[in-house]
């Protein structure tokens, strides 16, 4: 202990050498940490984009089904109008976001149901996209007395 009750201080150059030695001991640690974390972050990013693509494909399929139901509910629409409206919407809006789209119409005297199915795109070439299926149903307009 020194005269003032504190431990004696090292000279500045010696402290710098010790600090430098400690820093050199960590050489490459950041690269190893990056190699561990980067693939995980990239995988999470690709998963988030894949989920967004699937959600967008579902949205297109649901909107097409609703367009078909709206056309099929009309007094003069019928099943042909429902099919045409849903198919036209898929052709215009889907692009590559909903592939292999298929429209099915089930129309009865009181209600019409339109189902649109397809595949969402995949970011990874060897993994297929996810199946998408959305259905909309509504009552058929009719005259009542």
């Amino acid at each position: 202990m020194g005269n003032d009750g504190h431990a004696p201080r090292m000279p500045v150059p010696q402290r710098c050498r010790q600090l430098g030695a400690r820093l050199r001991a960590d050489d490459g640690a950041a690269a190893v940490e990056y190699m561990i974390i980067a693939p995980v972050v990239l995988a999470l990013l690709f998963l988030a984009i894949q989920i967004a693509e699937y959600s967008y494909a579902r949205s297109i399929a649901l909107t097409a089904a609703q367009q078909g139901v709206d056309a099929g509910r009309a007094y003069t629409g019928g099943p042909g109008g429902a099919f045409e409206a849903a198919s036209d919407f898929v052709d215009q809006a889907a692009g590559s976001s909903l592939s292999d789209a298929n429209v099915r119409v089930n129309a009865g005297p009181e209600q019409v149901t339109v189902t649109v199915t397809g595949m969402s795109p995949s970011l990874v070439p060897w993994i297929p996209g996810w199946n998408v299926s959305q259905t909309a149903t509504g009552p058929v307009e009719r005259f009542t007395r």
Side-chain angles (χ1 to χ4, degrees):
M1 293 258 172
N3 293 338
D4 59 357
H6 292 90
R9 296 178 54 106
M10 265 188 263
V12 173
Q14 188 178 0
R15 280 191 298 183
C16 288
R17 279 193 297 271
Q18 286 180 346
L19 178 62
R22 276 187 273 154
L23 290 176
R24 279 191 298 279
D26 288 342
D27 282 351
V32 172
E33 290 170 359
Y34 183 75
M35 286 178 48
I36 292 170
I37 301 239
V40 173
V41 170
L42 286 175
L44 290 174
L45 177 67
F46 275 90
L47 179 63
I49 293 171
Q50 185 67 54
I51 290 171
E53 287 280 354
Y54 173 72
S55 297
Y56 184 61
R58 282 184 49 140
S59 176
I60 289 173
L62 181 59
T63 304
Q66 290 171 339
Q67 293 283 328
V69 166
D70 289 345
R73 289 182 61 215
Y75 184 69
T76 58
F83 181 82
E84 184 177 334
S87 296
D88 287 346
F89 185 84
V90 168
D91 291 341
Q92 291 175 3
S96 63
S97 296
L98 183 65
S99 59
D100 301 330
N102 183 22
V103 177
R104 287 192 320 264
V105 177
N106 184 8
E110 295 186 8
Q111 77 176 15
V112 62
T113 302
V114 178
T115 302
V116 178
T117 58
M119 294 286 288
S120 71
S122 175
L123 294 176
V124 182
W126 59 88
I127 297 176
W130 294 329
N131 289 324
V132 174
S133 180
Q134 293 293 315
T135 301
T137 302
V140 174
E141 291 181 3
R142 56 193 167 106
F143 286 115
T144 59
R145 294 187 180 196

